[in-house]
Amino acid sequence: MSQFGPDYVRAIAPYQAGKPIAEVAREFGLDEAAIVKLASNENPFGIPQSSIAAMQAAAADLGRYPDANGFDLKAALATRYDVPAAWITLGNGSNDILEIAAHAFVSAGQAVVYSQYSFAVYALATQGVGARAIVVPAVAYGHDLDAMAAAIDADTRLVFIANPNNPTGTFIPAAQIAAFLAKVPAHVIVVLDEAYNEFLQPDDQFESAAWVRSYPNLVVSRTFSKAYGLAGLRVGFAIAQPALTDLMNRIRQPFNVNTMAQAAAIAALNDTAFLEQGALNNAAGYRQFVEAFDELGLEYVPSHGNFVLVRVGDDADAGARVNLALLKQGVIVRPVGNYGLPQWLRISIGLPQENAIFLAALKAALA
Ligand SMILES: *Cc1c(COP(=O)(O)O)cnc(C)c1O
């Protein structure tokens, strides 16, 4: 172990991203074109055509720095969510928002509360500022908000909530979040990470962005990486009142969202047909998965996102073993042993044909 850097940085376990297609092709001697990647909750339709056109138009301007204030994108978001543009912070993906929140609101030695089995970046952001993590045991693979409220101690400055949660897909209804927000002390900031909000059924949708008016300590985080199909461009944003937004903007790198990304995001935001197509495909793919899991007698966690967590065996190697068997067949999914779920795999919902290839490979792997 090197002597460089603070102990809390050396203690960080690096983020494990989904394996790139090219890497799996090289490692297993497969044809890249035949590989199915259902590992990173990306949009199976890829980037919207409207975003490609917007990027082509924006390309002529790339000799200049991006608009550091993201004027046009913030204006579009302000209209969409009915908040002032001054309440929006742009991020290089919403990962950036999570990091910015930790840096802006928490100092070394203070504490951050989040749930067991919640998004891996909460631990990274917490450790990155030398803060103490208070990890609250999950209930039925989801957030236990009562226990999380009770876990807030004198040092706590920040709470991360993923809704829906990744990697488990669990969802917390509006009333429970509202009850939680009412209990949290005024000086503790709550980051409500809604990376999968667009996949919620209409009945589950609620106006979290509007809640920001009522809660000066609430930060709502969203992304263009999932439903909007822009994962490779890195665009996310936060909505919060000016006191919090001002602090986040001091920490944010001035040019954290590049020119192409800003243009593509505006186009995607206005591309309602693309979102609708994605939602329909996701709902159909979810049914395709859970019917097959039921047939195979596999336990899964009912999901509100664009992925499903499924238990592929009882022994502690099950996830790794089935993952390897899938890789050999050219199917990339996400093992979640690093989340403390070694018997499970997380599968992103793809196109019908991709889902079918995965299910056939899964049956072979389990046989
Ligand atoms: C994917 C994801 C994000 C962020 O992704 P970005 O590409 O950085 O916007 C944030 N939170 C959760 C829970 C996610 O699953």
Side-chain angles (χ1 to χ4, degrees):
M1 187 48 96
S2 96
Q3 295 304 303
F4 298 118
D7 293 346
Y8 63 80
V9 173
R10 288 200 299 261
I12 294 174
Y15 182 79
Q16 293 175 354
K19 271 180 182 289
I21 288 175
E23 186 183 316
V24 173
R26 275 196 307 275
E27 227 173 274
F28 295 90
L30 299 164
D31 176 8
E32 272 192 36
I35 288 178
V36 169
K37 185 184 179 212
L38 301 174
S40 301
N41 301 344
E42 293 148 341
N43 195 309
F45 294 102
I47 181 171
Q49 285 303 321
S50 56
S51 292
I52 292 178
M55 286 166 64
Q56 277 162 348
D61 222 22
L62 286 178
R64 301 200 181 277
Y65 280 100
D67 176 357
N69 288 317
F71 181 88
D72 291 334
L73 176 53
K74 282 191 194 174
L77 290 167
T79 303
R80 169 62 54 90
Y81 293 104
D82 194 23
V83 293
W87 292 26
I88 296 169
T89 307
L90 299 182
N92 189 256
S94 58
N95 269 289
D96 193 24
I97 295 293
L98 306 174
E99 294 279 349
I100 289 170
H103 282 272
F105 306 136
V106 187
S107 56
Q110 293 181 328
V112 178
V113 170
Y114 53 85
S115 175
Q116 180 189 24
Y117 307 140
S118 66
F119 189 39
V121 169
Y122 307 155
L124 297 176
T126 300
Q127 288 178 287
V129 296
R132 176 165 54 90
I134 301 177
V135 184
V136 177
V139 168
Y141 302 101
H143 293 61
D144 181 345
L145 289 186
D146 289 337
M148 287 178 72
I152 293 172
D153 65 10
D155 297 331
T156 302
R157 292 295 179 278
L158 186 63
V159 179
F160 284 116
I161 296 175
N163 197 37
N165 184 44
N166 173 19
T168 62
T170 53
F171 172 69
I172 313 161
Q176 287 181 34
I177 304 242
F180 175 79
L181 289 172
K183 273 193 250 175
V184 171
H187 69 280
V188 174
I189 293 156
V190 177
V191 173
L192 187 57
D193 175 0
E194 300 187 319
Y196 301 96
N197 175 273
E198 296 82 4
F199 295 106
L200 290 176
Q201 298 301 313
D203 286 352
D204 291 333
Q205 291 274 1
F206 57 92
E207 290 297 320
S208 51
W211 289 7
V212 167
R213 291 185 193 280
S214 316
Y215 298 101
N217 59 337
L218 175 63
V219 177
V220 170
S221 172
R222 297 281 185 95
T223 183
F224 282 91
S225 296
K226 309 283 164 52
Y228 290 104
L230 302 184
L233 279 169
R234 318 302 304 127
V235 200
F237 62 97
I239 302 174
Q241 287 193 17
L244 298 186
T245 301
D246 175 55
L247 290 181
M248 288 195 286
N249 269 304
R250 294 177 196 217
I251 291 294
R252 181 182 71 87
Q253 287 181 34
F255 304 110
N256 63 338
V257 181
N258 70 65
T259 304
M260 295 287 237
Q262 291 185 32
I266 294 167
L269 191 65
N270 293 320
D271 196 337
T272 44
F274 184 82
L275 266 198
E276 277 165 23
Q277 172 194 33
L280 287 175
N281 181 73
N282 198 64
Y286 181 70
R287 284 193 301 274
Q288 193 180 355
F289 276 2
V290 300
E291 278 166 20
F293 296 156
D294 283 339
E295 245 170 63
L296 292 166
L298 299 179
E299 181 187 357
Y300 58 89
V301 180
S303 175
H304 297 263
N306 62 346
F307 55 88
V308 186
L309 188 69
V310 60
R311 186 177 172 119
V312 292
D314 296 327
D315 59 292
D317 291 327
R321 185 178 59 245
V322 174
N323 181 56
L324 182 63
L326 291 170
L327 284 173
K328 287 179 178 164
Q329 299 176 79
V331 177
I332 315 174
V333 300
R334 181 65 70 90
V336 282
N338 59 324
Y339 281 94
L341 295 162
Q343 291 117 346
W344 300 75
L345 293 173
R346 190 197 68 193
I347 327 295
S348 307
I349 295 169
L351 300 172
Q353 182 60 12
E354 295 175 316
N355 300 339
I357 290 170
F358 155 68
L359 290 170
L362 179 66
K363 277 176 202 163
L366 292 173

